[in-house]
Each structure stands twice: as structure tokens, then as C-alpha cells.
Amino acid sequence: MSHLFAIALALLLDALIGDPRWLPHPVRVIGSLIAFLDRRLNQGKHRRAKGIAAAVAVTGIAYSLAFFVVSISYSLSLLFGVLVEAVLIFTAIATKSLQEAAWNVLIPLEQGDMEKARRELSMIVGRDTENLGEPEIVRACVETVAENTSDGITAPLFYAFIGGAPLALFYRAVNTCDSMLGYKNDTYREFGWASARLDDVVNYVPARLTAMVMILVYGGRQMRHCFHVLFRDASKHPSPNSGWPEAAMAALLGVQLGGTNTYKGVVSRRPAIGDPLVPLNKEHIRQAVRIMIVTVLSFALLLFIGGMIIELASAWGKPSAIVSAAWASASGDIRRF
């Protein structure tokens, strides 16, 4: 039950203050550790083995430190434990940050400032943005909002529900390892192999749950068609997980995502996801953010309902145990007579 209160408080903190730069952030510490290991280990022979060791070290340290801090906090008092755990979970989610990043792209587009829109977009995507027109800027922003609805919000909430702040920070460490090391190029193909595979594993369930919740809460009369698009197109994405929230978002917006991207001058052609029922335009960024917020709130509500059911089921069994013990005691008394 304490995890549920911590998750609720974490969501409230995120909605109120987001990710202020002045606040010490565990993810930045994790990123610094990954960069250090990258410089020291990503060279010479046995890079895959070194990459496995780096991924295990980073995720193990993140989980262990969070577990230690949370355990000490709860040992002092239940209230203090919930507060500390809430703060740690808060650092693992990014609802407000994702919304602000999307607005930072949308507002210049609405003002006709394409250069600023491209510059803001370059802060949240890995592709080259210098020559993108409005439809491609919108596509990149919508794809990022869709993917990060899972990676940056619902997935850490899912793991917080299962194992509290330690597991949420473990997930965030895995995700950060992948974002920094999981590239398919000569530098990281071997060293980042473990980070990329581990990220695929931990995102498998959350990505699919997120996509389904998106459609269930936002699909309306088009729900059947949206699920058709989801199951048809999700597996087309190069990532085994990112295609799920992207396909759900494309279906809900009635747009087509995917296409040609350029990364440091290298062209990458992605399969089309969704049906081009309407052309991409800047209003789709606003709609994508709205879908993201509704999905996160609905996902959190489902976690709370699930948690309450588990708590009630657990409490339901306790009286039975008490009654059984009382009956055994009474039977013993009767036999003595």
C-alpha cells in the first residue's frame, strides 16, 4: 500500500515541478557513471563482455542505492519512507518534462519560426533536424511523445508498482544505458549490446500495456480500427517495443508515422506505421500530448485499482487465518473435556 501512496505523491510532484535543473537528479548521476565506464571500458578486445559488466554495474548500483535509502527511510517512520520513496519515483518519471518539450516545438511552429522549432526538436530526438519541414517536425515530435509515454512515464510507474522506487530506478538505469550505449554503429555495436537487449526485455510488457491503454481510453468509436492498426503495424518498427505506442498514437490521430530519417548524415528508412487519413500538421502535437496525459492518468488509475484489489484480497485471507487458529484452539479445548 505504501508504494501506491508513493506513486500518487510522485505523480503530484511531477505535475507541480517537473524536472527543474536546480534539483539534484539520480538520472544525471547514472549518466555520469555510464559515461565514465564508456571511456574506460569501450576499447580493445572483449567489448561485449565489458559492456555486459558495465550494464550490470550501473543497474546494480542504481537498484542497491535506492533500496538502501528506501529501507533506511521506512525504518525511521512510515511517513518519511513514503516521502523519500515518492521523491525517488518522481525522479524516474517525466510527464511534465515531455509535455514542455513538445510545447517548445509547437509554439515556434505556431509562430512560424521554423529555425527555433528545428532547434528545439533537436533537443529531444537523435535525427538530423536542420532541413526538416513542418510535417516532418510534427512527425518527429509525435513519435517522441508516443515512445516516451511508455519509456519515460508508464514503464517506470509499472516497475514502481511492482517493486517500489528501487525497481523504478533500476528501470531508469537500464533505459539510460540504452539511450547512451545502445547504438548500432562501430563504436557501440558490441559494447552497447547488453544495454540494448536489457532495455528490450524490461520494456516488453509496459510498451504493450501502454499502447492498449491509449486505445482503450481514447479510441472511442474507432477503437476496433485502432486495435487493427496497432496489431498490424507495431511489429514494423525496428525496435521490438517502440512500435507499440507509436502505432497506437498513429491510429488515434489518423496519421502515418515512420518514413525517412537522417542520423548524422546517414539515411535510415523506417516502415510506415498507421494510415494517412489526414496530413500531419502542428495540431497533432497538441493532440499527442493530450493523449499522453490521459493515458498516464488512466494507467496510474489501473495500477491503483490493481493495488487495492491485491490489498483487499490479502486482507480477506487474514480473517480466515484468525478463524482457523481460533477453531483449532477451540477444538483442542473441546477434546480436553
Side-chain angles (χ1 to χ4, degrees), residues 41 45-55 190-191 193-194:
L41 300 179
K45 298 180 179 180
H46 310 298
R47 291 195 186 189
R48 179 170 291 195
K50 293 176 182 177
I52 293 172
E190 291 298 315
F191 188 72
W193 176 85

Side-chain angles (χ1 to χ4, degrees), residues 270-293:
R270 304 280 180 91
I273 293 177
D275 299 321
L277 303 180
V278 294
L280 282 160
N281 63 78
K282 49 183 171 287
E283 183 59 26
H284 287 126
I285 296 177
R286 195 183 309 278
Q287 293 175 11
V289 170
R290 191 178 301 123
I291 291 170
M292 177 267 289
I293 292 172

Side-chain angles (χ1 to χ4, degrees), residues 211 214-215 218-220 222 226 247-255 287 291 295:
M214 268 188 189
I215 293 175
Y218 220 88
Q222 301 298 317
C226 290
M249 185 70 78
L252 291 169
L253 297 177
V255 301
Q287 293 175 11
I291 291 170
T295 299

Side-chain angles (χ1 to χ4, degrees), residues 168-182:
L169 267 294
F170 170 84
Y171 169 80
R172 179 52 64 206
V174 171
N175 193 244
T176 307
C177 281
D178 178 61
S179 66
M180 294 180 67
L181 307 177

Side-chain angles (χ1 to χ4, degrees), residues 26-104:
V27 174
R28 296 190 189 107
V29 178
I30 291 170
S32 298
L33 176 59
I34 295 169
F36 172 79
L37 293 174
D38 182 19
R39 291 192 301 269
R40 291 300 183 93
L41 300 179
N42 191 12
Q43 54 187 306
K45 298 180 179 180
H46 310 298
R47 291 195 186 189
R48 179 170 291 195
K50 293 176 182 177
I52 293 172
V56 170
V58 171
T59 56
I61 290 172
Y63 180 88
S64 299
L65 287 177
F67 184 83
F68 175 77
V69 170
V70 169
S71 298
I72 293 296
S73 300
Y74 274 110
S75 70
L76 296 175
S77 80
L78 177 61
L79 178 59
F80 186 64
V82 169
L83 290 174
V84 169
E85 186 167 31
V87 170
L88 290 177
I89 295 172
F90 152 68
T91 65
I93 59 178
T95 312
K96 188 172 183 179
S97 297
L98 183 56
Q99 178 181 349
E100 290 176 347
W103 289 159
N104 288 341

Side-chain angles (χ1 to χ4, degrees), residues 4 7 154 157-158 161 298-308:
L4 296 179
I7 290 171
T154 57
L157 288 177
F158 174 79
F161 173 73
S298 301
F299 193 91
L301 180 60
L302 289 175
L303 292 182
F304 291 133
I305 293 172
M308 294 302 297

